[in-house]
Amino acid sequence: MTADHLPIETHPWPPFIPEGAKVLVMGTFPPTPNRWSMDFYYPNRTNDFWFMMGLIMEGDRYAYYDTATRTFRLDRIKQMLTDKGIALNDTGRQIRRLKGNASDKFLEIIRPVDLDALLARMPQCVAVATTGEKAAEVVASLTGTEAPKMGCMVRDAHGLQLWRMPSTSRAYPLALEKKADYYRQLFESCNII
């Protein structure tokens, strides 16, 4: 089967944009639904995102995860994002999974997000942070910038900060605490924490 015959998937969730959002965090695309432990961004229990955010925001990697039920605390997650002004969306609006998994290496972006329309809904946004290389490349193509090196930032023609953060996938070989250090620097520079 050629890639043209693989199914095209449309992103399952609307952007999460709290009022006054200052930072937009963007991954590439969610994993397949069988990997979800909640109906929201970074739903996979084997992804470090919410464990990292718990470490940064509350000093506890399990702040947003109930170890007894093995589920994320979605209400608490959404409240933290709202309180801190952190928006979430992904760079892929429509994709093909070339190998049937969520690996960025095997995702073909058919249609990227409409970043200009998304940012128009967030007048106070000062930074877009991508969770990995592919998402950074998509944002760079949409903004006419170079993709920054991991942990670094560039600015677009309007002065918007574009950060490339480490992937929160456990396949990315960096300890949770080290990933948290990179994201903490981003949030501190944007006065989120």
Side-chain angles (χ1 to χ4, degrees):
M1 184 181 280
T2 64
D4 290 345
H5 293 95
L6 291 172
I8 294 175
E9 295 179 48
T10 299
H11 202 286
W13 305 307
F16 181 83
I17 305 174
E19 188 174 336
K22 294 186 222 173
V23 174
L24 170 60
V25 177
M26 302 187 83
T28 308
F29 201 82
T32 54
N34 64 310
R35 307 286 293 171
W36 298 0
S37 61
M38 66 176 170
D39 196 12
F40 194 65
Y41 292 87
Y42 304 97
N44 191 336
R45 284 188 297 269
T46 62
N47 187 291
D48 280 334
F49 190 82
W50 296 117
F51 298 103
M52 178 192 71
M53 292 298 284
L55 200 57
I56 294 168
M57 299 300 174
E58 303 200 32
D60 176 6
R61 71 182 292 155
Y62 298 109
Y64 305 121
Y65 185 73
D66 185 326
T67 55
T69 61
R70 298 186 69 221
T71 58
F72 288 106
R73 296 178 170 124
L74 185 54
D75 289 344
R76 194 166 174 185
I77 285 169
K78 288 182 175 181
Q79 187 61 58
M80 176 272 297
L81 295 170
T82 299
D83 290 348
K84 299 294 185 183
I86 301 170
L88 298 175
N89 199 27
D90 287 318
T91 56
R93 180 73 188 122
Q94 291 185 315
I95 59 96
R96 278 192 188 105
R97 295 182 198 275
L98 303 179
K99 297 280 184 180
N101 61 32
S103 171
D104 281 358
K105 186 176 180 178
F106 302 112
L107 280 183
E108 176 188 3
I109 304 284
I110 302 298
R111 192 176 82 179
V113 67
D114 184 342
L115 186 59
D116 289 338
L118 194 58
L119 290 170
R121 296 172 56 189
M122 295 181 275
Q124 294 175 321
C125 185
V126 297
V128 173
T130 57
T131 60
E133 183 176 10
K134 187 166 194 115
E137 290 170 355
V138 173
V139 168
S141 73
L142 295 173
T143 57
T145 62
E146 293 291 320
K149 293 180 180 171
M150 201 280 290
C152 295
M153 179 267 294
V154 298
R155 291 184 187 271
D156 74 1
H158 307 290
L160 182 69
Q161 299 175 29
L162 306 171
W163 292 76
R164 176 178 159 200
M165 308 310 292
S167 170
T168 57
S169 167
R170 296 237 176 111
Y172 188 77
L174 191 65
L176 176 68
E177 293 77 14
K178 296 284 188 189
K179 291 177 186 180
D181 288 343
Y182 281 102
Y183 284 80
R184 187 177 291 110
Q185 176 187 359
L186 159 73
F187 294 138
E188 285 174 352
S189 77
C190 296
N191 297 314
I192 296 286
I193 56 174

